Amino acid sequence: MTMDVAVLTIFPEMFERFWTHGIVRRAIEQGQLKGDAIDIRAYAEDRHKVTDDRPYGGGCGMVMKPEPLAKALRAARARMPEAVTLLMTPQGRPFSQQTAAELARRRGLIFICGRYEGVDERVAQRFVDAEISIGDYVLTGGELPAMVIVDAVVRLIPGVLGGQDSAAQDSFADGLLEHAHYTRPRVFEGRPVPDVLLSGNHAAIDQWRLEAALVRTFLKRPELLEDRVFSEQELAILRKWSKKLENLIKVQSACCTDPLSGHQ
Ligand code: 9D3
């Protein structure tokens, strides 16, 4: 089954290279994805192909006119009647791995990329199924967000990734950051690869990787652990590190209260 993607934009050239690299390209070649950037300007009625206009009520900036967008949308929907229509906007629902997984189950996606101050509100109300933001920072348009979302979604389409780096193995899929990775040489600028990874002991390697993932998540993104239900194996690792920390603290307070240590 092919996922159909149409991106409505006034800058379709931004997508030309996007479709031709990496996993996105492979998915298209294997028939799992169809990607099409549609020029909104091509649907403008007037001689100058105008797609924006001044805002009612005044103010600086321009607003995307509803008519060309509506025409482009109707054409896209006629070709892909089962698609959901997504408006890229800073006011949208924050995009996440969960959103990506939901979108990956759809037959088709139609992206509306805003430019200027945004699109006329009546287009949003009439045509849009969901408004999505990719995060709380200000970009100049919805094209990069649409690429980000296609990139995250395509690798979740069944069969797009091989078993080797399948989506089920994603760090976000199991709620932990990934452990560190190493490749040759065995010693790089004086820094060796952890011995256990060279041991050939797969149980020990799995244990090290889980421990490395857990500790890394605790240090870099502790909030990811807040609602986690830990496995018995994970709890054992946490207890081990808790003991290590307790000992460090004990040694510290012992030295600081030592009358012969010279300080405190
Ligand atoms: C900050 C106030 N306005 C600009 C003077 C609003 C505004 C309108 C349009 C801000 C940015 C944009 C263009 N951005 C997008 O279209 C966009 C976006 C983003 O800026 N951040 C995160 N996700 C997205 S999705 C679409």
Side-chain angles (χ1 to χ4, degrees), residues 164-180:
Q164 198 189 29
D165 51 358
S166 85
Q169 291 178 16
D170 286 349
S171 62
F172 280 109
D174 77 345
L176 295 179
L177 301 183
E178 248 170 60
H179 57 77

Side-chain angles (χ1 to χ4, degrees), residues 254-264:
C255 97
C256 290
T257 55
D258 181 351
L260 300 177
S261 76
H263 47 266
Q264 195 71 31

Side-chain angles (χ1 to χ4, degrees), residues 88-91 114 116-118 132-135 137-142 145:
M88 301 297 100
T89 162
Q91 284 97 53
Y116 321 115
E117 288 307 294
I132 302 181
S133 159
I134 62 162
Y137 36 82
V138 182
L139 303 172
T140 59

Side-chain angles (χ1 to χ4, degrees), residues 18-59:
F18 174 69
W19 308 120
T20 66
H21 295 275
I23 305 283
V24 170
R25 177 202 187 132
R26 198 175 68 198
I28 290 170
E29 286 172 353
Q30 293 175 353
Q32 292 147 321
L33 176 71
K34 264 180 65 187
D36 195 9
I38 294 164
D39 189 359
I40 296 166
R41 261 172 87 86
Y43 293 86
E45 294 280 70
D46 65 299
R47 203 155 61 80
H48 294 105
K49 303 282 173 196
V50 174
T51 58
D52 62 331
D53 203 347
R54 289 152 56 215
Y56 272 120

